[in-house]
Amino acid sequence: MTKVLCVGAAVVDFVFQLPDLPDRAEKYGTENAAIVGGGCAANAAVAVSRLGGQAVLGARLGDDAIGDMVVAGVEAEGVDCANVTRTPRARSSYSSVYLDQRGERQIVNFRGAGLHLDTGWFAGLQNVAAVLTDTRRVAAAEDALTMARTRGIPGVLDGEAPVDPGLVSLASHAAFSMQGLRDLAPDLGPEEALLKISAEHGCWACVTDGENGVWFTGFDGIEHCPAFPVTPVDTLGAGDVWHGAFTLALAEGQDEATAIRFACAAAALKCLKPGGREGAPSRTDTETFLKEQEA
Amino acid sequence: MTKVLCVGAAVVDFVFQLPDLPDRAEKYGTENAAIVGGGCAANAAVAVSRLGGQAVLGARLGDDAIGDMVVAGVEAEGVDCANVTRTPRARSSYSSVYLDQRGERQIVNFRGAGLHLDTGWFAGLQNVAAVLTDTRRVAAAEDALTMARTRGIPGVLDGEAPVDPGLVSLASHAAFSMQGLRDLAPDLGPEEALLKISAEHGCWACVTDGENGVWFTGFDGIEHCPAFPVTPVDTLGAGDVWHGAFTLALAEGQDEATAIRFACAAAALKCLKPGGREGAPSRTDTETFLKEQEA
């Protein structure tokens, strides 16, 4: 199996469904609630695992009950959590998520306390074929992208705002959200921004824009890959599935244009299912979908 | 140690502190959050334990991570959880609580699913000196109060609205909130309501009204016990501490007036500390406070 290291957030969301979002200092009740694993890195790791890769998670958790819930949820998907940092007396991050009947979402996130992401084990990790990390935990992201650079394997940065420019310089592939791209190049249109960033930081770059598809730095300037035309049921976690699938495809040796298409297919299938990472598709379903779309 | 059976709710609250209560479908972040054990019966059981009694908890939980958190929190306080019902595939109840800087509180409660409170073990419980239960889980409350009646020990009903009149008839002592009293006797003032309920249901009755104190059915009609004059820091859980302390005092053989005074002292001390059950006082602190107030 192709091994992908995913470094970043791993959390638990307590999701409550309500007719309307609460707006008073009162007590509300619901019969519909779920405890859902979340966090960009954990979600991407689950996507990699379902798509047939061996995902290794690098994340920071407390040695607490929330941390146990996070690890149990991710390990159940076959993700390797042996190196997840569990800091004694630190407190894991979690969120409360309220969903109303129109799909509006209100999130309150506890950022955690005393957390530290140990990266000393990166150097000893055998046979890693690609690395995915985010822009939040800068020191750990630097170590992950440096390891990828040293080994000559793809180092993918999930470029969400705010973006540390130093991380872009370390990444071989920077995949921005529109907001992340604007944060780094506020005065330029998307195409100019990608070209400038790619030139300045010496990396391949793309911007993902949901149903509008993906723009990326190709051989002859900016190229566009349209999104697959689906009617979304739930877009939660689609970005994380995209990043996991894209990184796995690069790790397998697919070229960027093919990897984008694979990632867009996986993200489209995720959008057809409710829930975040629970909606991540299998390899078989993704390849069948790709063939159907080509036919 | 005097043994008290507490039957009812045992939950976990995920408490998030925010400058203001959220009012938009957005993402909010906070550095201040706590995972706090809650539920009337669990809180009362912890109060009993801290006040030197042996609390036995009767509650319904799923065989899930939330259930584990509830039991761990209560057992750490010395409460006997050996008979708590853990139903496979059921889902434990939990709440998300938002607190703003003015102390306003917004709660969203997941009621749980597939839960069942087994009461078959009540009959085999040795040396119980009193029982406390609430108005929510009616069948279990009936069994608990019937057991108390059969054994001739105090059976205390925490009379929160809505109140099932059948439970009041089974209780030896009904301790209403103002709302609970109005629910049962909507057309009467508090004193008339207590006299009517006491006569009709053949039980001692009182109503607790926070800083206004407690009215109860005494030898010559309704008597009043004033609350202790404290400046509250946090009233969360004060009612549960009151019910636990009152039931323990009756179990120890204190008369009702003395038990009320003891319970009001414990509740007052709780109000001087932040947090719910964490603020429950020790026996020593409660008795010292009572002596100070008498001096």
Side-chain angles (χ1 to χ4, degrees):
Chain A
M1 280 196 295
T2 305
K3 193 183 286 186
V4 173
L5 171 63
C6 301
V7 176
V11 300
V12 162
D13 292 339
F14 298 94
V15 183
F16 301 78
Q17 295 201 339
L18 296 156
D20 302 288
L21 293 180
D23 58 359
R24 294 180 306 280
E26 291 181 6
K27 182 165 181 176
Y28 298 78
T30 179
E31 309 285 341
N32 294 309
I35 301 177
V36 177
C40 294
N43 288 353
V46 168
V48 165
S49 186
R50 291 205 183 170
L51 290 167
Q54 172 60 60
V56 177
L57 182 62
R60 49 183 215 175
L61 294 170
D63 197 12
D64 55 1
I66 296 288
D68 291 345
M69 292 168 87
V70 170
V71 168
V74 180
E75 281 187 337
E77 295 281 352
V79 173
D80 177 355
C81 292
N83 294 294
V84 166
T85 313
R86 303 291 301 268
T87 305
R89 290 177 301 283
R91 297 178 54 211
S92 304
S93 174
Y94 53 89
S95 296
S96 168
V97 179
Y98 298 160
L99 274 179
D100 75 10
Q101 58 193 355
R102 289 172 302 281
E104 294 285 314
R105 188 184 306 273
Q106 183 185 83
I107 304 174
V108 175
N109 168 246
F110 167 56
R111 300 192 185 100
L115 297 169
H116 162 77
L117 207 161
D118 182 32
T119 61
W121 53 278
F122 287 178
L125 205 59
Q126 302 289 313
N127 303 318
V128 193
V131 168
L132 169 65
T133 188
D134 63 22
T135 51
R136 297 289 173 88
R137 280 141 288 268
V138 174
E142 280 174 357
D143 290 351
L145 293 172
T146 301
M147 182 266 266
R149 184 164 279 263
T150 304
R151 299 192 186 191
I153 58 175
V156 179
L157 178 67
D158 173 357
E160 193 51 79
V163 181
D164 184 308
L167 290 179
V168 184
S169 294
L170 286 171
S172 66
H173 296 74
F176 296 98
S177 68
M178 273 293 184
Q179 214 179 346
L181 191 63
R182 269 194 293 266
D183 179 66
L184 205 58
D187 301 325
L188 298 176
E191 303 203 3
E192 294 76 15
L194 288 175
L195 289 170
K196 178 165 181 280
I197 290 165
S198 175
E200 281 185 2
H201 296 276
C203 67
W204 179 94
C206 76
V207 60
T208 60
D209 190 25
E211 62 186 349
N212 298 316
V214 180
W215 285 265
F216 61 100
T217 52
F219 290 111
D220 302 312
I222 299 301
E223 296 181 34
H224 179 245
C225 176
F228 292 101
V230 294
T231 306
V233 170
D234 186 354
T235 60
L236 180 67
D240 301 331
V241 168
W242 194 96
H243 289 104
F246 178 69
T247 308
L248 176 62
L250 292 183
E252 292 175 349
Q254 297 183 31
D255 63 44
E256 285 83 1
T258 312
I260 287 176
R261 204 169 149 73
F262 178 73
C264 287
L269 287 173
K270 151 49 227 151
C271 290
L272 296 178
K273 290 193 181 169
R277 73 167 67 139
E278 300 75 33
S282 69
R283 184 68 174 239
T284 308
D285 287 351
T286 306
E287 293 189 341
T288 303
F289 178 82
L290 273 169
K291 277 183 196 140
E292 287 169 359
Q293 293 292 324
E294 280 157 16
Chain B
M1 279 197 294
T2 305
K3 194 183 283 186
V4 174
L5 171 63
C6 301
V7 176
V11 301
V12 163
D13 292 339
F14 298 95
V15 182
F16 301 78
Q17 295 201 339
L18 295 157
D20 302 287
L21 294 180
D23 57 358
R24 296 180 305 281
E26 291 181 7
K27 182 166 181 175
Y28 298 78
T30 178
E31 309 285 340
N32 295 310
I35 301 177
V36 177
C40 294
N43 287 353
V46 168
V48 166
S49 186
R50 291 204 182 172
L51 291 168
Q54 171 60 60
V56 177
L57 182 63
R60 47 183 217 176
L61 294 170
D63 197 14
D64 55 2
I66 296 288
D68 291 344
M69 292 168 86
V70 171
V71 168
V74 180
E75 281 188 336
E77 295 281 351
V79 174
D80 178 353
C81 292
N83 294 295
V84 166
T85 313
R86 303 291 302 266
T87 305
R89 291 177 302 283
R91 298 178 55 214
S92 304
S93 174
Y94 53 89
S95 296
S96 168
V97 179
Y98 298 160
L99 274 180
D100 75 11
Q101 58 193 355
R102 289 172 302 281
E104 294 286 313
R105 188 184 305 274
Q106 183 186 82
I107 303 173
V108 175
N109 169 247
F110 167 57
R111 300 191 185 102
L115 296 170
H116 162 76
L117 207 161
D118 183 32
T119 61
W121 53 279
F122 287 178
L125 204 60
Q126 302 289 313
N127 303 318
V128 193
V131 168
L132 170 65
T133 188
D134 64 21
T135 51
R136 297 290 173 85
R137 280 140 289 268
V138 173
E142 280 173 358
D143 292 349
L145 294 172
T146 300
M147 182 267 266
R149 184 163 278 261
T150 305
R151 298 192 186 191
I153 58 174
V156 179
L157 178 66
D158 173 356
E160 193 52 79
V163 180
D164 184 307
L167 289 179
V168 183
S169 294
L170 286 171
S172 65
H173 295 75
F176 297 97
S177 69
M178 274 293 184
Q179 215 179 343
L181 190 64
R182 269 194 294 267
D183 181 64
L184 204 58
D187 301 324
L188 299 178
E191 302 204 5
E192 293 76 16
L194 288 176
L195 288 171
K196 177 165 182 279
I197 289 166
S198 176
E200 280 186 3
H201 296 278
C203 66
W204 180 94
C206 76
V207 59
T208 59
D209 190 26
E211 60 186 349
N212 299 317
V214 181
W215 285 264
F216 61 100
T217 53
F219 288 110
D220 300 313
I222 299 300
E223 297 181 32
H224 179 244
C225 176
F228 292 100
V230 295
T231 305
V233 169
D234 185 353
T235 61
L236 181 66
D240 302 330
V241 168
W242 194 96
H243 290 105
F246 178 69
T247 308
L248 175 63
L250 292 183
E252 292 176 350
Q254 298 183 32
D255 63 43
E256 285 83 0
T258 312
I260 286 176
R261 204 168 151 73
F262 179 73
C264 287
L269 287 174
K270 149 53 226 148
C271 289
L272 297 178
K273 290 193 182 170
R277 75 165 68 138
E278 299 76 30
S282 69
R283 184 67 176 239
T284 308
D285 287 351
T286 305
E287 294 191 341
T288 302
F289 179 81
L290 273 169
K291 277 183 198 142
E292 286 170 358
Q293 294 292 323
E294 280 158 18

